[in-house]
Amino acid sequence: MIKHRNRRQIKGKSIGLLLVVLTWSLAMGWLISFATNVQGATPVSEVGTVDVVAPQYQLGQELYLENCSTCHIALPPAVLPTETWKNLLQDSEHYGAQLKPLVDPPRILVWRYLATFSRLLQKDEQVPYRVNNSRYFKALHPQVKLPRPVDINSCVTCHPGAADFNFRRLSSE
């Protein structure tokens, strides 16, 4: 009789332990899925880029916009390859204008943002320094008759929100 009672106690404790482990696992799984879910963890900003910018890159994006959109429309990083952005950040001569170069830590934050959201150069491809020479820009604008020469500030013709870094909204033309 004592053995029977001990078996029931052990069985009851085993079931209780199993329920605690199951509850713990479900709770942890739910928390992990919530934390890794892009929709749940990353607020969608009002910036109209295609890519959702994760919190660790948002300051870099803000610094990029603050520094680059004062003179011209800031381009989404995806339209130029990573190598172009790297060269632009390192060069104080910016398309004929002398610029005060960014210094660390803002330069590092901007670089992380640009490197994350830009694209790679192909092996035998030359680094484009003009947007109209970028194969990514061309791929994003198939069958679009672009003005000659292409000027960054002419983006607003087709993208009326470009001055606000919103390239999603297109004009009716």
Side-chain angles (χ1 to χ4, degrees):
M1 183 108 164
I2 294 175
K3 285 184 182 181
H4 189 61
R5 195 180 291 168
N6 285 343
R7 283 186 188 160
R8 270 195 218 163
Q9 287 176 343
I10 291 172
K11 189 176 181 181
K13 288 180 182 179
S14 297
I15 291 173
L17 181 61
L18 182 64
L19 287 173
V20 168
V21 169
L22 181 64
T23 305
W24 176 259
S25 297
L26 288 172
M28 292 306 293
W30 179 78
L31 288 171
I32 289 171
S33 71
F34 181 75
T36 59
N37 184 349
V38 173
Q39 296 293 332
T42 307
V44 177
S45 66
E46 292 298 313
V47 175
T49 57
V50 175
D51 298 315
V52 174
V53 179
Q56 67 263 32
Y57 302 112
Q58 287 177 355
L59 182 56
Q61 181 187 45
E62 289 171 21
L63 290 166
Y64 166 70
L65 293 172
E66 181 181 304
N67 284 281
C68 298
S69 65
T70 55
C71 298
H72 58 77
I73 291 171
L75 294 173
V79 301
L80 291 169
T82 307
E83 292 80 356
T84 301
W85 292 114
K86 182 179 179 184
N87 292 338
L88 288 173
L89 276 177
Q90 292 174 343
D91 193 4
S92 62
E93 171 103 10
H94 188 72
Y95 298 102
Q98 198 66 23
L99 297 179
K100 180 181 167 189
L102 279 174
V103 294
D104 294 343
R107 184 188 62 81
I108 292 171
L109 293 169
V110 170
W111 168 244
R112 286 183 184 157
Y113 164 69
L114 292 172
T116 300
F117 293 98
S118 59
R119 301 170 192 215
L120 298 175
L121 200 62
Q122 290 183 344
K123 283 185 208 173
D124 298 328
E125 186 179 6
Q126 290 185 346
V127 177
Y129 289 98
R130 299 281 180 194
V131 70
N132 60 317
N133 295 333
S134 169
R135 70 183 169 91
Y136 297 115
F137 178 78
K138 292 174 186 175
L140 291 167
H141 297 84
Q143 301 177 0
V144 174
K145 294 189 190 304
L146 298 168
R148 297 282 177 206
V150 174
D151 180 53
I152 288 178
N153 291 318
S154 66
C155 296
V156 293
T157 306
C158 297
H159 304 276
D164 298 321
F165 205 56
N166 184 340
F167 290 86
R168 286 184 178 187
R169 195 174 75 223
L170 298 172
S171 65
S172 58
E173 299 171 12

